[in-house]
Amino acid sequence: MHSIPGSDQVRLAEISETKPATVEQCHAVIDTLTAQLASLQQTVLVLSEKLALNSRNSSKPPSSDGPGSGNRAQRRASQRRRGAQKGHPGAWREALPESQVDGIEECPPPALCECGAAISVRGKPERHQVFDLPPAIKPVVTEYRLLGGVCAGCGRAHQAVLPPGVPRGQIGPRALALVGVLGTRFQMPQLKIRELLAQLLGIDFSVGAISAAHGKVAAALAAPVQQAAASLARAEVVHMDETHYGREGGSGNWVWAAIQQRLAVYSVLPSRARYVVHNLIGEHPAAIVVSDRYAAYGYLDAQRRQVCWAHLVRDFTRIAQRAGQAGRIGAKLLGLAYVMFRWRERGKTGTEQFEPLMRRVHQALERGAGQTQCRRTAATCGNILAIWPALWTFLRQDGVPPTNNSAEQALRGIVLKRKISGPTRSRRGDEFIARGFSAAETCRRQGRDLLDYLHKVALAWIDGTSAPSLLPEAAPSG
């Protein structure tokens, strides 16, 4: 932010009170006003650019663009009519076999025709199946009576213990798993979870009990999520991103996402500093890290890093919207970025095929860093040149995409949870968000049933046994 220096303010006050008497004093006044005008113009440019920031030229989310900007779906809408297109094969539900049907009701035709003759039934009936819910879904309530006894020999007292899989609380393992699924996969707040359980399942617990259940789910997931986090140091490619997730009371929290193809690990931490990246993937990770240009990733070797081109497009768009030489350079860089994506779609690979484009991008960045009309453009282009190899890792390494879309998409569920439920209120809530969404997103990527997985985790936590792992199973050899 540019501000008016205090000495200039004093000088302007003096000028307003006294008039210059000599030519030299007039020149001094002109020089002061010229410098002041240049400072104000620069301040106006900076503030105007900040007001113009949106999801297309910055990291702001599309939801912040406002109602008049149109959403992405509207901007990309094709000219085809809505719905299935001509030639679409269609999709329909196959009828269940009779062995899986709960009841069969015969519906005969009318007894008489309009002509007055009797109608005889013949041929196979048309099968029509309706899926419905019973009038009341009742929970299974089991009472455990723990009997006590006394040894006839020594008089020592003995007390029965609960069977395996039975918790000390009143919410059973399958209900715990359901509460975890509703709070993560379906982003439901605790009050809505309580109302759903009470209305549909007849399980009427307080909001505090639902909150405590979230804490139990988080505790049950501690070991498998920790094991998954430890595997990040050995991964080949890791996508990383972070988003704000404030806690009620004003303290700032950040959700960090470390995403692999079949594994997702989230952490809710009170900082966005570099040490968080160290804790998540180590100071010398073996993986190639795909991320934006945030400074916390600056310690990574540019050869082992891929900078997101979707973020670069936003940077180039912002530069292109500036006036003069900076705007022309930004437009050139933006066009070259679109060329990169088109070449990728056409199947071009490797540094040899991209060498002409790489050379043109480098030249445009050098012009941007070398021009003196816009310091912000020079700084941005210089910073990108400093990590030049990280722009093209996707050409040197198979399996590395040019964008960080995987991490950004993986954070959408948590962002929706934040918008629906608001900020967390405790460390227990932070742990449920981090560990619960780690399990939910990992199960989605692996095609696993989240409810079944959380049920097994809850049983293991109740019995004090090892929880099932979140790590993907190794592909069979051969």
Side-chain angles (χ1 to χ4, degrees), residues 42-377:
Q42 186 65 21
T43 301
V44 170
L45 287 175
V46 173
L47 293 177
S48 298
E49 184 171 310
K50 287 186 176 181
L51 287 174
L53 291 180
N54 52 49
S55 63
R56 294 178 293 279
N57 58 15
S58 71
S59 295
K60 296 180 67 174
S63 59
S64 67
D65 290 347
S69 59
N71 58 44
R72 294 179 184 268
Q74 291 172 338
R75 293 196 298 270
R76 298 175 182 173
S78 68
Q79 301 301 318
R80 299 186 302 178
R81 63 180 179 84
R82 292 180 178 270
Q85 304 301 305
K86 186 176 181 179
H88 177 65
W92 56 87
R93 179 184 297 275
E94 296 289 344
L96 295 177
E98 290 187 7
S99 59
Q100 298 181 19
V101 174
D102 297 305
I104 297 177
E105 183 175 342
E106 300 286 352
C107 300
L112 298 175
C113 178
E114 288 80 355
C115 68
I119 297 177
S120 59
V121 177
R122 66 179 184 179
K124 294 183 177 180
E126 176 186 346
R127 302 180 66 196
H128 175 69
Q129 296 180 348
V130 176
F131 295 76
D132 203 353
L133 295 175
I137 304 175
K138 296 183 178 180
V140 177
V141 181
T142 304
E143 180 178 324
Y144 297 89
R145 301 183 177 182
L146 305 181
L147 302 177
V150 179
C151 176
C154 64
R156 181 180 178 182
H158 291 266
Q159 183 70 35
V161 297
L162 291 172
V166 179
R168 296 298 306 178
Q170 291 185 318
I171 301 182
R174 196 174 299 279
L176 280 175
L178 178 60
V179 169
V181 171
L182 295 177
T184 54
R185 178 66 58 80
F186 298 100
Q187 298 112 16
M188 292 181 63
Q190 294 172 356
L191 180 60
K192 295 295 184 182
I193 294 175
R194 176 190 178 276
E195 293 175 352
L196 184 145
L197 294 180
Q199 183 173 352
L200 296 184
L201 303 180
I203 305 177
D204 194 0
F205 288 109
S206 66
V207 175
I210 302 301
S211 176
H214 280 170
K216 294 176 181 179
V217 173
L221 287 170
V225 172
Q226 183 178 7
Q227 182 190 33
S231 71
L232 295 174
R234 305 184 300 271
E236 296 181 358
V237 180
V238 174
H239 294 254
M240 294 198 67
D241 200 5
E242 72 286 334
T243 186
H244 188 259
Y245 202 103
R247 180 184 292 181
E248 189 171 280
S251 60
N253 271 352
W254 294 86
V255 175
W256 289 79
I259 308 298
Q260 300 178 48
Q261 183 177 3
R262 302 185 64 202
L263 187 68
V265 177
Y266 299 93
S267 298
V268 179
L269 299 168
S271 175
R272 201 182 175 213
R274 179 175 296 181
Y275 78 87
V276 176
V277 186
H278 291 174
N279 293 339
L280 290 175
I281 60 175
E283 296 189 28
H284 304 285
I288 292 177
V289 179
V290 185
S291 69
D292 54 22
R293 292 193 303 111
Y294 177 46
Y297 307 105
Y299 77 97
L300 297 169
D301 182 2
Q303 298 285 347
R304 304 289 301 168
R305 182 182 176 192
Q306 173 62 55
V307 172
C308 177
W309 273 86
H311 284 80
L312 291 176
V313 166
R314 300 171 196 168
D315 293 335
F316 298 157
T317 300
R318 186 164 63 253
I319 296 174
Q321 292 171 345
R322 294 169 183 164
Q325 184 183 10
R328 293 190 293 272
I329 293 173
K332 180 68 173 179
L333 288 169
L334 184 60
L336 293 174
Y338 288 141
V339 170
M340 187 281 295
F341 284 109
R342 284 199 300 270
W343 285 13
R344 285 270 299 178
E345 292 176 357
R346 294 172 183 174
K348 287 191 176 184
T349 57
T351 55
E352 293 183 359
Q353 294 185 0
F354 274 80
E355 194 278 332
L357 179 63
M358 296 169 66
R359 182 176 62 253
R360 293 164 64 189
V361 173
H362 197 277
Q363 291 172 351
L365 288 172
E366 285 183 329
R367 289 197 300 272
Q371 56 83 35
T372 57
Q373 295 181 1
C374 181
R375 288 179 294 176
R376 288 164 292 149
T377 299

